[in-house]
Amino acid sequence: MAYKVTLIPGDGIGPEVTSAAVRILEATGIKFDWERYDAGAEAFDKYHEYIPKELIESVERTKVALKGPITTPIGGGFSSINVQLRKHFELFCNFRPIRNLPGVTTRYPGVDLIIIRENTEGLYSGIEHEVVPGVVESLKIITEKASTRIARWAFEYAHKFGRKKVHAIHKANIMKLSDGLFIHCSRNIAKEYPDIFYGEHIVDNTCMQLVTNPYQYDMLLLENLYGDIVSDLCAAFVGGLGLVPGANFGSDCAIFEAVHGSAPDIAGKGVANPTAVARSGILMLRHLGEQDAANQVKYAIHAVFQKGKHTTRDMGGKASTNEFADAVVAAMEGEAWREQAASETNPV
Ligand code: NAI
């Protein structure tokens, strides 16, 4: 049997890193039937639509997509394709595991954080207007339904995977109603999980606390914008954006994509790091129930970093995107990963 999966290569470094990730995923022996669609500016040139309806129909059918980054014009132009897809499919949970890779030296060894970002509302509602010339308004939408849903997801994850603490991150001292509702819902859900520590920190203090001592946190539960910003901050703990994977989960379907964007500064050069997308692929394999294949890719990536010979430029190495992928495929030989997988629960 082959899994039907929608493949959205994206733009910028997207096509380079997704094709490397596809090669790594296929090397597990799992069969995929990829339904490939462009989205964004390139799709518009071809189909006169930023998100072709065939792409939407494909995700409705397959329920699973692997996606590269898509460029969003700044200060004008079309609204984010990424945000539109998350809203269209109600992918309310953005899951981002932040974890050091063996062999990657950073200022903070041994970081193991899970970021849970609400993915459908907040300031990403995109409701903006000009009140009078020179005055604009951007509305932050927070609902009880979405806040309760994301808090429940976070606590359920903590419960299922033995995580010890959840901190809700907010600015309810200033946004008393919107962020106030977010933490009110988080508190209510926390009461149902007495074995999991629940804390609340204000977002600016959280940034300082993270940089001072990231080990004090276990899982961070954030509304949309704070989740976006804090994710990039935390990516720096473990070696940068080239490494950190992500998943967008809804109740019906899921789209797997890295935290990073389209990196126009290095696009087309064949030097981008495909690790983040490949690790998003690991999360996809777990979602499909293919735990062995997921562990095979996970520990092959660990082995490549441990040896340190085939890392990409962002990690201080010289390997191209494809050379890194070749090294990961070669590291999949053998069964050593089975023993390693038995002793830990971190997904990536
Ligand atoms: P970015 O994440 O694309 O790049 C930030 C820095 O990290 C750059 O120096 C880049 O070279 C580096 N970097 C990122 N991924 C890398 C990789 N795999 N390997 C090596 N280096 C990597 O963020 P930026 O520049 O703010 O955004 C560029 C575009 O991407 C924007 O249009 C933005 O809207 C879009 N974007 C799209 C996302 C998505 O599709 N999910 C997420 C974030 C941004």
Side-chain angles (χ1 to χ4, degrees):
M1 184 199 102
Y3 289 104
K4 278 191 186 300
V5 175
T6 307
L7 180 66
I8 308 167
D11 54 36
I13 59 169
E16 302 163 49
V17 290
T18 48
S19 76
V22 161
R23 206 145 56 77
I24 291 169
L25 295 176
E26 289 183 342
T28 61
I30 301 287
K31 299 269 178 284
F32 296 97
D33 179 1
W34 304 102
E35 299 189 3
R36 188 184 185 287
Y37 291 99
D38 289 322
E42 282 170 28
F44 193 80
D45 293 343
K46 277 190 219 156
Y47 308 105
H48 302 288
E49 278 177 304
Y50 289 109
I51 306 180
K53 71 172 185 316
E54 290 82 358
L55 184 160
I56 299 287
E57 286 164 4
S58 170
V59 178
E60 277 167 3
R61 220 176 19 250
T62 63
K63 313 280 187 207
V64 183
L66 183 67
K67 176 183 164 298
I70 299 173
T71 304
T72 308
I74 292 172
F78 59 88
S79 59
S80 164
I81 303 305
N82 311 307
V83 173
Q84 286 185 56
L85 287 172
R86 291 167 193 166
K87 277 196 196 154
H88 181 89
F89 292 107
E90 265 210 74
L91 303 171
F92 63 87
C93 174
N94 193 188
F95 172 81
R96 293 173 159 182
I98 309 279
R99 192 198 183 189
N100 288 91
L101 281 160
V104 178
T105 309
T106 68
R107 288 195 189 96
Y108 302 87
V111 171
D112 181 5
L113 282 166
I114 302 278
I115 292 183
I116 306 288
R117 165 187 175 192
E118 203 293 320
N119 220 11
T120 57
E121 52 181 35
L123 277 167
Y124 284 70
S125 307
I127 306 172
E128 289 189 316
H129 61 273
E130 188 176 54
V131 183
V132 291
V135 182
V136 293
E137 203 169 42
S138 186
L139 298 183
K140 174 165 177 166
I141 309 291
I142 298 285
T143 64
E144 188 178 339
K145 181 182 163 207
S147 304
T148 302
R149 183 170 63 177
I150 194 68
R152 184 167 303 288
W153 204 101
F155 277 93
E156 268 305 296
Y157 183 90
H159 175 68
K160 193 165 168 197
F161 292 99
R163 308 291 302 208
K164 303 277 182 270
K165 297 192 269 187
V166 175
H167 279 85
I169 307 305
H170 66 91
K171 190 81 187 170
N173 48 334
I174 305 298
M175 282 163 272
K176 295 176 193 298
L177 283 183
S178 54
D179 283 19
L181 179 57
F182 186 80
I183 52 172
H184 171 77
C185 297
S186 305
R187 275 177 207 166
N188 276 347
I189 296 296
K191 284 183 200 139
E192 296 177 29
Y193 298 83
D195 296 342
I196 298 164
F197 173 86
Y198 171 69
E200 290 170 1
H201 279 174
I202 295 176
V203 63
D204 38 352
N205 173 36
T206 304
C207 292
M208 191 276 290
Q209 295 290 345
L210 274 166
V211 174
T212 309
N213 174 16
Y215 310 106
Q216 66 187 294
Y217 295 112
D218 186 7
M219 289 181 65
L220 299 176
L221 168 63
L222 311 101
E223 64 79 79
N224 212 337
L225 182 63
Y226 310 148
D228 191 14
I229 295 169
V230 170
S231 295
D232 276 33
L233 189 157
C234 290
F237 292 146
V238 297
L241 285 168
L243 302 179
V244 180
N248 303 286
F249 291 114
S251 36
D252 193 36
C253 48
I255 298 184
F256 297 84
E257 64 178 335
V259 170
H260 67 70
S262 56
D265 52 336
I266 55 167
K269 297 181 178 158
V271 298
N273 189 344
T275 305
V277 181
R279 292 173 100 194
S280 305
I282 297 175
L283 299 177
M284 183 179 86
L285 287 169
R286 298 206 186 282
H287 178 73
L288 294 172
E290 296 291 350
Q291 304 301 338
D292 281 355
N295 289 325
Q296 214 181 335
V297 178
K298 170 178 168 175
Y299 293 106
I301 289 175
H302 287 202
V304 170
F305 279 101
Q306 230 152 2
K307 284 199 183 130
K309 275 195 195 150
H310 298 282
T311 56
T312 46
R313 241 168 47 175
D314 56 318
M315 306 310 300
K318 290 197 173 78
S320 67
T321 307
N322 284 333
E323 285 162 352
F324 175 85
D326 291 342
V328 174
V329 169
M332 278 185 202
E333 291 290 317
E335 297 279 311
W337 57 269
R338 285 191 193 278
E339 215 171 294
Q340 293 171 288
S343 62
E344 58 152 301
T345 55
N346 190 296
V348 291

